[in-house]
Each structure stands twice: as C-alpha cells, then as structure tokens.
Amino acid sequence: MGSVKGLVCVTGAGGYIASWLVKRLLSDGYKVHGTVRDPHDEKNRHLKKLDKAVENLKLFKADLLDCDSLLSPIAGCEGVFHTACPVPRSKLSDPETEMVVPAVTGTLNLLKICSQVKVRRVVVVSSGGAVAMNPNWPSDKEKDETCWSDKEYCKSTGNWYFYAKTLAEEEALNYGKMNELDVVTVMPCMVIGPLLQSTLNSSSLWFINMLKGTQKTLVNKGMSLVDVRDVADALLLVYVKPEANGRYGCASNWLKMDDLANKLKNIYQNYKYPTSFTETTVTKGMSPKKLKALGWSCRDIDSTIADSVKCFEDAAHL
Ligand SMILES: NC(=O)c1ccc[n+]([C@@H]2O[C@H](COP(=O)([O-])OP(=O)(O)OC[C@H]3O[C@@H](n4cnc5c(N)ncnc54)[C@H](OP(=O)(O)O)[C@@H]3O)[C@@H](O)[C@H]2O)c1
C-alpha cells in the first residue's frame, strides 16, 4: 500500500479497463478524479465500493464533446489517463457522429484542457486497431510501434472503430508535439479478464460469444490477447516512468482462433464454441518488447482465461 500520491484524472472511469485502473491507482495511494457521463447510473456503482474510494475517488459528470464539463475534473491534476471512447458492438448507422467525432474531437478537447491546466503527462488509451490494419506490413513479421493502421484501408473495409482509434492516436501524438504536452499512448490488443462492473463491455462479450459459439463459423485469424489487469499496470507504468515516450504496444499472447477455441474446449467442455473456421492469411500479432523494456510483465493466458470464466459464471453472464 503506497502513501498518498498526486491527483490524477481517469476519463470514462466506469468502463472495463478504466475500473481496473482506478482500483490500481487507489490502492497505490493516488487521489483520483473519475469522469463518467452519468454519476447516478447503476453501471458506475462498483466504483464507489472500491477500496479507498470513499476518501480518494471523486466522480464528475463529463462528456468528451463538452469542453466545459472536462475542466473541473482535470483542474489540479498532475496526470490524466484518457480511456473514454465508444467501443461499438454492432454496425454503426452514422460512423462519423457515433465513432469518429467522440474518438477524435473528444481526445483533442481533452488535450486542450490538459494543456490549459498544465498536466504533467497524459496517457491516451489507443488500440491494437491503430496498428493491426496495415496490409503493407509483412504478414510473418510481428508488429511494433512503427506500424500504423492504414486509415483508407480501415475506411474501405468499413472498420470505423479502427479508423477512429488510428486517427485519434495520430492527432493526440501530433497535438503533444505541437503544444509541448507530454502525451504517451498505449495500444492494448483484445482485452479479456474479470470484470469489476456489472455490465458487459464489447471485448468481454466477444469472449463470452466465443464460449457460447454464438457465431458458428469464424475466420481463423490470429489475435493478440491481454489481461485487463495487465493493461491497467501498463497505463500506470507509462505514467510513472519519466523515460516513457511515444507509443507502446500492449499484448501478451497471440493465438489463432481455432487454437483459442480448442484451448477453451479442453478446459470447459460444457460450452458450445464455433464449429468451423475459414482459413485466411494469418498475420503476426503485436510485440510488447518496448513495454517490457520499461518494466512491464504480464500474466499467463491460462490464468486470465480461468479468472474470466469464473467471473462470467459467477455473474451469470455465462
Ligand atoms: N476492451 C478492449 O479490448 C480494448 C482494446 C483496445 C483498446 N481499448 C480502448 O480502451 C478504452 C476503454 O475501453 P473498454 O474496453 O474499457 O470499454 P468500455 O467499458 O465500453 O468503456 C468505454 C468508456 O468510454 C465512455 N465514453 C464513451 N463515449 C464517451 C463520451 N462521448 N464522453 C465521455 N465518455 C464516453 C463510456 O462511458 P458511458 O458508460 O457513459 O458510456 C465508458 O465508460 C477505449 O478507449 C477503447 O478504445 C479497448
């Protein structure tokens, strides 16, 4: 248990990754301002029950598209962790309004306030999606921080989430350079692991659907996975390490979809799973080398799977 540290802000505090980050920050002795869109919504209730939340966590009502609402939670903070962003579950009817504007304009709104308030460092949660969609990257080569998703390719394949995350990360790093604001980005790949909140986020739903075999046929692509608790550790690590800079890939295990299904089937025989896999060009996942050099370590995928399934079963999500 650490002594009382500085004041930091976490945007979208009630989200899946953010909740674990807030928990970790509180347990390390930070005072935390969390932004949520509705402090009275049931889905944020778990935050108030976190250890030390009564003394050290204050929730603020804020929307990324309302600059004035962002000022109070960020004022006085030495650091900001920007996690808030829509993560769609289904096809978007208006991608620009529903995805691109909150991701890109929302991030820039936040950074402007951070400059105004003279925040020491801003950690922006990007995504493996800002790396993975690059058809020119050799398929047999692990991706690293020099690899950016091709925005036109994302758009032409209808992948508006990856498009928005790529553009938002580019803009965030450019904004940092142009305005002498210390901006560091982290790109988690597919995040699984136990939930702190009662509601389901998109990546947990993806994992549950894998167990349930909701989609009978899956494209047999490779995917990098990472534990949500290790993502929270990564975000804090890049915040505290003075030498951290630029982008950080955040991935632990890379698996093909049929290998993941078989791994799960061997442990949990009572679920249905996809029954067929269509072969595709398998591209390598993301390297966590840069993050590991900073001191990051991660759990074994088997313990992440066990903790996830237990959590989903206990909460009757499975
Ligand atoms: N989970 C993954 O596999 C994964 C992988 C890579 C990157 N990421 C990134 O990690 C971050 C957190 O994702 P998550 O998985 O934790 O998702 P999540 O549980 O859905 O959390 C997203 C949060 O963003 C907030 N938000 C959305 N639009 C907002 C707006 N206009 N103003 C203020 N807040 C807004 C949501 O608040 P409400 O509750 O009010 O809607 C929610 O708290 C996102 O930036 C996502 O792109 C996630």
mmCIF file of all heavy atoms in Angstrom, residues 59-101:
data_model
loop_
_atom_site.group_PDB
_atom_site.id
_atom_site.type_symbol
_atom_site.label_atom_id
_atom_site.label_comp_id
_atom_site.label_asym_id
_atom_site.label_seq_id
_atom_site.Cartn_x
_atom_site.Cartn_y
_atom_site.Cartn_z
ATOM 1 N N LEU A 59 -16.166 11.429 -8.359
ATOM 2 C CA LEU A 59 -16.696 11.298 -9.720
ATOM 3 C C LEU A 59 -17.264 12.622 -10.213
ATOM 4 O O LEU A 59 -17.898 13.355 -9.451
ATOM 5 C CB LEU A 59 -17.788 10.224 -9.773
ATOM 6 C CG LEU A 59 -17.338 8.798 -9.459
ATOM 7 C CD1 LEU A 59 -18.497 7.819 -9.628
ATOM 8 C CD2 LEU A 59 -16.162 8.368 -10.328
ATOM 9 N N PHE A 60 -17.012 12.903 -11.493
ATOM 10 C CA PHE A 60 -17.502 14.123 -12.129
ATOM 11 C C PHE A 60 -18.325 13.735 -13.350
ATOM 12 O O PHE A 60 -17.924 12.838 -14.095
ATOM 13 C CB PHE A 60 -16.330 14.994 -12.614
ATOM 14 C CG PHE A 60 -15.509 15.588 -11.520
ATOM 15 C CD1 PHE A 60 -14.606 14.815 -10.793
ATOM 16 C CD2 PHE A 60 -15.610 16.941 -11.219
ATOM 17 C CE1 PHE A 60 -13.831 15.363 -9.789
ATOM 18 C CE2 PHE A 60 -14.833 17.510 -10.215
ATOM 19 C CZ PHE A 60 -13.945 16.715 -9.493
ATOM 20 N N LYS A 61 -19.384 14.457 -13.571
ATOM 21 C CA LYS A 61 -20.188 14.240 -14.781
ATOM 22 C C LYS A 61 -19.509 14.990 -15.928
ATOM 23 O O LYS A 61 -19.321 16.212 -15.835
ATOM 24 C CB LYS A 61 -21.598 14.782 -14.542
ATOM 25 C CG LYS A 61 -22.563 14.605 -15.681
ATOM 26 C CD LYS A 61 -23.926 15.146 -15.244
ATOM 27 C CE LYS A 61 -24.889 15.335 -16.391
ATOM 28 N NZ LYS A 61 -25.221 14.140 -17.120
ATOM 29 N N ALA A 62 -19.091 14.275 -16.957
ATOM 30 C CA ALA A 62 -18.420 14.960 -18.073
ATOM 31 C C ALA A 62 -18.632 14.199 -19.366
ATOM 32 O O ALA A 62 -18.694 12.970 -19.380
ATOM 33 C CB ALA A 62 -16.921 15.073 -17.792
ATOM 34 N N ASP A 63 -18.738 14.962 -20.441
ATOM 35 C CA ASP A 63 -18.831 14.369 -21.778
ATOM 36 C C ASP A 63 -17.663 14.923 -22.586
ATOM 37 O O ASP A 63 -17.351 16.120 -22.487
ATOM 38 C CB ASP A 63 -20.172 14.755 -22.421
ATOM 39 C CG ASP A 63 -20.412 13.945 -23.688
ATOM 40 O OD1 ASP A 63 -19.616 14.065 -24.649
ATOM 41 O OD2 ASP A 63 -21.368 13.171 -23.716
ATOM 42 N N LEU A 64 -17.048 14.063 -23.388
ATOM 43 C CA LEU A 64 -15.866 14.479 -24.156
ATOM 44 C C LEU A 64 -16.180 15.594 -25.147
ATOM 45 O O LEU A 64 -15.285 16.312 -25.576
ATOM 46 C CB LEU A 64 -15.303 13.285 -24.930
ATOM 47 C CG LEU A 64 -14.722 12.152 -24.095
ATOM 48 C CD1 LEU A 64 -14.403 10.946 -24.972
ATOM 49 C CD2 LEU A 64 -13.456 12.635 -23.372
ATOM 50 N N LEU A 65 -17.449 15.712 -25.523
ATOM 51 C CA LEU A 65 -17.793 16.727 -26.509
ATOM 52 C C LEU A 65 -18.243 18.032 -25.859
ATOM 53 O O LEU A 65 -18.653 18.962 -26.546
ATOM 54 C CB LEU A 65 -18.857 16.179 -27.473
ATOM 55 C CG LEU A 65 -18.368 14.942 -28.246
ATOM 56 C CD1 LEU A 65 -19.429 14.443 -29.198
ATOM 57 C CD2 LEU A 65 -17.068 15.230 -29.004
ATOM 58 N N ASP A 66 -18.135 18.089 -24.553
ATOM 59 C CA ASP A 66 -18.488 19.298 -23.818
ATOM 60 C C ASP A 66 -17.247 19.744 -23.034
ATOM 61 O O ASP A 66 -16.994 19.270 -21.933
ATOM 62 C CB ASP A 66 -19.679 18.977 -22.892
ATOM 63 C CG ASP A 66 -20.021 20.126 -21.961
ATOM 64 O OD1 ASP A 66 -19.399 21.203 -22.072
ATOM 65 O OD2 ASP A 66 -20.910 19.925 -21.102
ATOM 66 N N CYS A 67 -16.457 20.653 -23.666
ATOM 67 C CA CYS A 67 -15.164 21.053 -23.078
ATOM 68 C C CYS A 67 -15.318 21.578 -21.655
ATOM 69 O O CYS A 67 -14.488 21.280 -20.793
ATOM 70 C CB CYS A 67 -14.499 22.132 -23.929
ATOM 71 S SG CYS A 67 -13.822 21.477 -25.436
ATOM 72 N N ASP A 68 -16.380 22.356 -21.433
ATOM 73 C CA ASP A 68 -16.555 22.950 -20.096
ATOM 74 C C ASP A 68 -16.666 21.866 -19.036
ATOM 75 O O ASP A 68 -16.182 22.018 -17.919
ATOM 76 C CB ASP A 68 -17.819 23.818 -20.050
ATOM 77 C CG ASP A 68 -17.624 25.081 -20.880
ATOM 78 O OD1 ASP A 68 -16.456 25.394 -21.188
ATOM 79 O OD2 ASP A 68 -18.632 25.731 -21.231
ATOM 80 N N SER A 69 -17.304 20.752 -19.406
ATOM 81 C CA SER A 69 -17.506 19.688 -18.414
ATOM 82 C C SER A 69 -16.183 19.000 -18.055
ATOM 83 O O SER A 69 -16.084 18.359 -17.014
ATOM 84 C CB SER A 69 -18.523 18.655 -18.928
ATOM 85 O OG SER A 69 -17.951 17.845 -19.943
ATOM 86 N N LEU A 70 -15.174 19.135 -18.919
ATOM 87 C CA LEU A 70 -13.888 18.452 -18.665
ATOM 88 C C LEU A 70 -12.965 19.255 -17.751
ATOM 89 O O LEU A 70 -12.022 18.710 -17.180
ATOM 90 C CB LEU A 70 -13.168 18.191 -19.998
ATOM 91 C CG LEU A 70 -13.863 17.213 -20.959
ATOM 92 C CD1 LEU A 70 -13.202 17.247 -22.334
ATOM 93 C CD2 LEU A 70 -13.834 15.796 -20.400
ATOM 94 N N LEU A 71 -13.244 20.553 -17.642
ATOM 95 C CA LEU A 71 -12.319 21.414 -16.889
ATOM 96 C C LEU A 71 -12.267 21.068 -15.397
ATOM 97 O O LEU A 71 -11.178 20.885 -14.841
ATOM 98 C CB LEU A 71 -12.686 22.888 -17.114
ATOM 99 C CG LEU A 71 -11.711 23.906 -16.520
ATOM 100 C CD1 LEU A 71 -10.280 23.687 -17.034
ATOM 101 C CD2 LEU A 71 -12.155 25.326 -16.837
ATOM 102 N N SER A 72 -13.417 20.953 -14.745
ATOM 103 C CA SER A 72 -13.405 20.699 -13.282
ATOM 104 C C SER A 72 -12.674 19.399 -12.913
ATOM 105 O O SER A 72 -11.855 19.411 -11.998
ATOM 106 C CB SER A 72 -14.801 20.618 -12.697
ATOM 107 O OG SER A 72 -15.550 21.666 -13.110
ATOM 108 N N PRO A 73 -12.939 18.252 -13.603
ATOM 109 C CA PRO A 73 -12.225 17.045 -13.185
ATOM 110 C C PRO A 73 -10.718 17.109 -13.423
ATOM 111 O O PRO A 73 -9.949 16.469 -12.692
ATOM 112 C CB PRO A 73 -12.854 15.929 -14.029
ATOM 113 C CG PRO A 73 -13.619 16.587 -15.112
ATOM 114 C CD PRO A 73 -13.985 17.949 -14.617
ATOM 115 N N ILE A 74 -10.279 17.888 -14.428
ATOM 116 C CA ILE A 74 -8.842 17.891 -14.761
ATOM 117 C C ILE A 74 -8.079 18.969 -13.969
ATOM 118 O O ILE A 74 -6.874 18.815 -13.704
ATOM 119 C CB ILE A 74 -8.650 18.053 -16.286
ATOM 120 C CG1 ILE A 74 -9.239 16.819 -16.985
ATOM 121 C CG2 ILE A 74 -7.180 18.190 -16.663
ATOM 122 C CD1 ILE A 74 -9.235 16.874 -18.479
ATOM 123 N N ALA A 75 -8.790 20.023 -13.562
ATOM 124 C CA ALA A 75 -8.119 21.110 -12.821
ATOM 125 C C ALA A 75 -7.403 20.541 -11.602
ATOM 126 O O ALA A 75 -7.974 19.759 -10.844
ATOM 127 C CB ALA A 75 -9.161 22.140 -12.386
ATOM 128 N N GLY A 76 -6.140 20.895 -11.443
ATOM 129 C CA GLY A 76 -5.365 20.462 -10.276
ATOM 130 C C GLY A 76 -4.706 19.094 -10.442
ATOM 131 O O GLY A 76 -3.954 18.661 -9.564
ATOM 132 N N CYS A 77 -4.980 18.412 -11.568
ATOM 133 C CA CYS A 77 -4.408 17.060 -11.739
ATOM 134 C C CYS A 77 -2.995 17.132 -12.306
ATOM 135 O O CYS A 77 -2.716 17.938 -13.194
ATOM 136 C CB CYS A 77 -5.259 16.232 -12.698
ATOM 137 S SG CYS A 77 -6.813 15.740 -11.955
ATOM 138 N N GLU A 78 -2.124 16.241 -11.823
ATOM 139 C CA GLU A 78 -0.789 16.192 -12.430
ATOM 140 C C GLU A 78 -0.731 15.208 -13.589
ATOM 141 O O GLU A 78 0.161 15.268 -14.417
ATOM 142 C CB GLU A 78 0.282 15.901 -11.393
ATOM 143 C CG GLU A 78 0.179 14.573 -10.710
ATOM 144 C CD GLU A 78 1.259 14.411 -9.641
ATOM 145 O OE1 GLU A 78 1.598 15.410 -8.967
ATOM 146 O OE2 GLU A 78 1.749 13.293 -9.504
ATOM 147 N N GLY A 79 -1.699 14.317 -13.657
ATOM 148 C CA GLY A 79 -1.733 13.368 -14.768
ATOM 149 C C GLY A 79 -3.154 13.059 -15.169
ATOM 150 O O GLY A 79 -4.074 13.171 -14.364
ATOM 151 N N VAL A 80 -3.310 12.670 -16.462
ATOM 152 C CA VAL A 80 -4.636 12.282 -16.950
ATOM 153 C C VAL A 80 -4.498 10.976 -17.736
ATOM 154 O O VAL A 80 -3.563 10.819 -18.529
ATOM 155 C CB VAL A 80 -5.247 13.388 -17.854
ATOM 156 C CG1 VAL A 80 -6.534 12.905 -18.517
ATOM 157 C CG2 VAL A 80 -5.527 14.655 -17.047
ATOM 158 N N PHE A 81 -5.405 10.064 -17.478
ATOM 159 C CA PHE A 81 -5.481 8.808 -18.232
ATOM 160 C C PHE A 81 -6.755 8.884 -19.061
ATOM 161 O O PHE A 81 -7.861 8.930 -18.505
ATOM 162 C CB PHE A 81 -5.561 7.614 -17.277
ATOM 163 C CG PHE A 81 -4.337 7.443 -16.419
ATOM 164 C CD1 PHE A 81 -4.224 8.110 -15.198
ATOM 165 C CD2 PHE A 81 -3.288 6.624 -16.830
ATOM 166 C CE1 PHE A 81 -3.098 7.961 -14.404
ATOM 167 C CE2 PHE A 81 -2.155 6.469 -16.033
ATOM 168 C CZ PHE A 81 -2.058 7.139 -14.821
ATOM 169 N N HIS A 82 -6.594 8.896 -20.375
ATOM 170 C CA HIS A 82 -7.764 9.064 -21.239
ATOM 171 C C HIS A 82 -8.196 7.710 -21.798
ATOM 172 O O HIS A 82 -7.604 7.203 -22.748
ATOM 173 C CB HIS A 82 -7.424 10.040 -22.370
ATOM 174 C CG HIS A 82 -8.562 10.260 -23.309
ATOM 175 N ND1 HIS A 82 -9.870 10.386 -22.894
ATOM 176 C CD2 HIS A 82 -8.600 10.368 -24.672
ATOM 177 C CE1 HIS A 82 -10.653 10.549 -23.933
ATOM 178 N NE2 HIS A 82 -9.907 10.535 -25.026
ATOM 179 N N THR A 83 -9.226 7.139 -21.178
ATOM 180 C CA THR A 83 -9.727 5.841 -21.662
ATOM 181 C C THR A 83 -11.061 5.993 -22.393
ATOM 182 O O THR A 83 -11.436 5.123 -23.160
ATOM 183 C CB THR A 83 -9.940 4.825 -20.502
ATOM 184 O OG1 THR A 83 -11.206 5.033 -19.900
ATOM 185 C CG2 THR A 83 -8.847 4.883 -19.464
ATOM 186 N N ALA A 84 -11.812 7.063 -22.112
ATOM 187 C CA ALA A 84 -13.183 7.171 -22.627
ATOM 188 C C ALA A 84 -13.225 7.198 -24.149
ATOM 189 O O ALA A 84 -12.514 7.974 -24.783
ATOM 190 C CB ALA A 84 -13.848 8.435 -22.071
ATOM 191 N N CYS A 85 -14.029 6.351 -24.704
ATOM 192 C CA CYS A 85 -14.212 6.284 -26.156
ATOM 193 C C CYS A 85 -15.319 5.276 -26.429
ATOM 194 O O CYS A 85 -15.378 4.244 -25.750
ATOM 195 C CB CYS A 85 -12.916 5.788 -26.818
ATOM 196 S SG CYS A 85 -12.995 5.667 -28.612
ATOM 197 N N PRO A 86 -16.177 5.527 -27.393
ATOM 198 C CA PRO A 86 -17.161 4.488 -27.716
ATOM 199 C C PRO A 86 -16.454 3.245 -28.257
ATOM 200 O O PRO A 86 -15.482 3.368 -29.010
ATOM 201 C CB PRO A 86 -18.012 5.133 -28.824
ATOM 202 C CG PRO A 86 -17.662 6.581 -28.831
ATOM 203 C CD PRO A 86 -16.294 6.718 -28.250
ATOM 204 N N VAL A 87 -16.903 2.081 -27.830
ATOM 205 C CA VAL A 87 -16.394 0.815 -28.387
ATOM 206 C C VAL A 87 -17.623 0.070 -28.904
ATOM 207 O O VAL A 87 -18.330 -0.576 -28.133
ATOM 208 C CB VAL A 87 -15.649 -0.038 -27.317
ATOM 209 C CG1 VAL A 87 -14.991 -1.246 -27.971
ATOM 210 C CG2 VAL A 87 -14.620 0.796 -26.559
ATOM 211 N N PRO A 88 -17.904 0.203 -30.209
ATOM 212 C CA PRO A 88 -19.175 -0.309 -30.722
ATOM 213 C C PRO A 88 -19.282 -1.823 -30.685
ATOM 214 O O PRO A 88 -18.277 -2.523 -30.790
ATOM 215 C CB PRO A 88 -19.212 0.196 -32.164
ATOM 216 C CG PRO A 88 -17.829 0.583 -32.495
ATOM 217 C CD PRO A 88 -17.084 0.829 -31.239
ATOM 218 N N ARG A 89 -20.518 -2.309 -30.538
ATOM 219 C CA ARG A 89 -20.781 -3.756 -30.534
ATOM 220 C C ARG A 89 -21.375 -4.215 -31.841
ATOM 221 O O ARG A 89 -21.426 -5.384 -32.120
ATOM 222 C CB ARG A 89 -21.833 -4.104 -29.486
ATOM 223 C CG ARG A 89 -21.353 -3.930 -28.138
ATOM 224 C CD ARG A 89 -22.468 -3.983 -27.162
ATOM 225 N NE ARG A 89 -21.838 -3.786 -25.882
ATOM 226 C CZ ARG A 89 -22.183 -4.413 -24.794
ATOM 227 N NH1 ARG A 89 -23.181 -5.237 -24.796
ATOM 228 N NH2 ARG A 89 -21.537 -4.185 -23.684
ATOM 229 N N SER A 90 -21.933 -3.263 -32.580
ATOM 230 C CA SER A 90 -22.583 -3.664 -33.833
ATOM 231 C C SER A 90 -22.314 -2.590 -34.870
ATOM 232 O O SER A 90 -21.672 -1.573 -34.564
ATOM 233 C CB SER A 90 -24.084 -3.805 -33.592
ATOM 234 O OG SER A 90 -24.545 -2.659 -32.926
ATOM 235 N N LYS A 91 -22.806 -2.825 -36.068
ATOM 236 C CA LYS A 91 -22.578 -1.902 -37.179
ATOM 237 C C LYS A 91 -23.143 -0.523 -36.816
ATOM 238 O O LYS A 91 -24.229 -0.425 -36.244
ATOM 239 C CB LYS A 91 -23.301 -2.454 -38.419
ATOM 240 C CG LYS A 91 -22.751 -1.952 -39.718
ATOM 241 C CD LYS A 91 -23.347 -2.769 -40.859
ATOM 242 C CE LYS A 91 -23.087 -2.293 -42.245
ATOM 243 N NZ LYS A 91 -22.560 -1.049 -42.551
ATOM 244 N N LEU A 92 -22.382 0.524 -37.131
ATOM 245 C CA LEU A 92 -22.816 1.872 -36.777
ATOM 246 C C LEU A 92 -23.689 2.444 -37.878
ATOM 247 O O LEU A 92 -23.385 2.273 -39.064
ATOM 248 C CB LEU A 92 -21.582 2.763 -36.590
ATOM 249 C CG LEU A 92 -20.611 2.326 -35.479
ATOM 250 C CD1 LEU A 92 -19.256 3.015 -35.641
ATOM 251 C CD2 LEU A 92 -21.213 2.638 -34.120
ATOM 252 N N SER A 93 -24.745 3.164 -37.496
ATOM 253 C CA SER A 93 -25.578 3.750 -38.551
ATOM 254 C C SER A 93 -24.990 5.087 -39.022
ATOM 255 O O SER A 93 -25.124 5.451 -40.171
ATOM 256 C CB SER A 93 -27.020 3.906 -38.087
ATOM 257 O OG SER A 93 -27.050 4.512 -36.831
ATOM 258 N N ASP A 94 -24.318 5.799 -38.123
ATOM 259 C CA ASP A 94 -23.689 7.062 -38.504
ATOM 260 C C ASP A 94 -22.266 7.085 -37.904
ATOM 261 O O ASP A 94 -22.051 7.648 -36.825
ATOM 262 C CB ASP A 94 -24.534 8.225 -37.968
ATOM 263 C CG ASP A 94 -23.954 9.577 -38.331
ATOM 264 O OD1 ASP A 94 -22.850 9.620 -38.927
ATOM 265 O OD2 ASP A 94 -24.594 10.590 -38.005
ATOM 266 N N PRO A 95 -21.298 6.432 -38.592
ATOM 267 C CA PRO A 95 -19.955 6.261 -38.026
ATOM 268 C C PRO A 95 -19.280 7.575 -37.627
ATOM 269 O O PRO A 95 -18.577 7.642 -36.613
ATOM 270 C CB PRO A 95 -19.155 5.590 -39.143
ATOM 271 C CG PRO A 95 -20.157 5.023 -40.072
ATOM 272 C CD PRO A 95 -21.416 5.827 -39.930
ATOM 273 N N GLU A 96 -19.508 8.625 -38.430
ATOM 274 C CA GLU A 96 -18.849 9.898 -38.152
ATOM 275 C C GLU A 96 -19.285 10.427 -36.780
ATOM 276 O O GLU A 96 -18.465 10.746 -35.922
ATOM 277 C CB GLU A 96 -19.205 10.889 -39.284
ATOM 278 C CG GLU A 96 -18.513 12.223 -39.247
ATOM 279 C CD GLU A 96 -16.989 12.152 -39.430
ATOM 280 O OE1 GLU A 96 -16.481 11.203 -40.058
ATOM 281 O OE2 GLU A 96 -16.314 13.064 -38.895
ATOM 282 N N THR A 97 -20.602 10.482 -36.573
ATOM 283 C CA THR A 97 -21.128 11.045 -35.323
ATOM 284 C C THR A 97 -20.942 10.094 -34.148
ATOM 285 O O THR A 97 -20.577 10.524 -33.054
ATOM 286 C CB THR A 97 -22.649 11.320 -35.487
ATOM 287 O OG1 THR A 97 -22.834 11.960 -36.737
ATOM 288 C CG2 THR A 97 -23.199 12.176 -34.379
ATOM 289 N N GLU A 98 -21.198 8.815 -34.376
ATOM 290 C CA GLU A 98 -21.185 7.876 -33.251
ATOM 291 C C GLU A 98 -19.763 7.478 -32.841
ATOM 292 O O GLU A 98 -19.530 7.144 -31.685
ATOM 293 C CB GLU A 98 -21.947 6.588 -33.617
ATOM 294 C CG GLU A 98 -23.430 6.773 -33.811
ATOM 295 C CD GLU A 98 -24.060 5.532 -34.429
ATOM 296 O OE1 GLU A 98 -23.928 4.440 -33.872
ATOM 297 O OE2 GLU A 98 -24.656 5.656 -35.511
ATOM 298 N N MET A 99 -18.826 7.508 -33.797
ATOM 299 C CA MET A 99 -17.490 6.963 -33.502
ATOM 300 C C MET A 99 -16.372 7.992 -33.687
ATOM 301 O O MET A 99 -15.584 8.242 -32.776
ATOM 302 C CB MET A 99 -17.278 5.746 -34.440
ATOM 303 C CG MET A 99 -16.062 4.912 -34.163
ATOM 304 S SD MET A 99 -16.109 4.099 -32.557
ATOM 305 C CE MET A 99 -14.695 4.825 -31.792
ATOM 306 N N VAL A 100 -16.293 8.560 -34.893
ATOM 307 C CA VAL A 100 -15.115 9.383 -35.219
ATOM 308 C C VAL A 100 -15.090 10.658 -34.374
ATOM 309 O O VAL A 100 -14.053 11.010 -33.799
ATOM 310 C CB VAL A 100 -15.073 9.715 -36.742
ATOM 311 C CG1 VAL A 100 -13.809 10.498 -37.074
ATOM 312 C CG2 VAL A 100 -15.134 8.432 -37.569
ATOM 313 N N VAL A 101 -16.220 11.327 -34.274
ATOM 314 C CA VAL A 101 -16.233 12.595 -33.530
ATOM 315 C C VAL A 101 -15.887 12.393 -32.048
ATOM 316 O O VAL A 101 -14.981 13.045 -31.530
ATOM 317 C CB VAL A 101 -17.571 13.358 -33.744
ATOM 318 C CG1 VAL A 101 -17.664 14.549 -32.816
ATOM 319 C CG2 VAL A 101 -17.688 13.793 -35.196
#
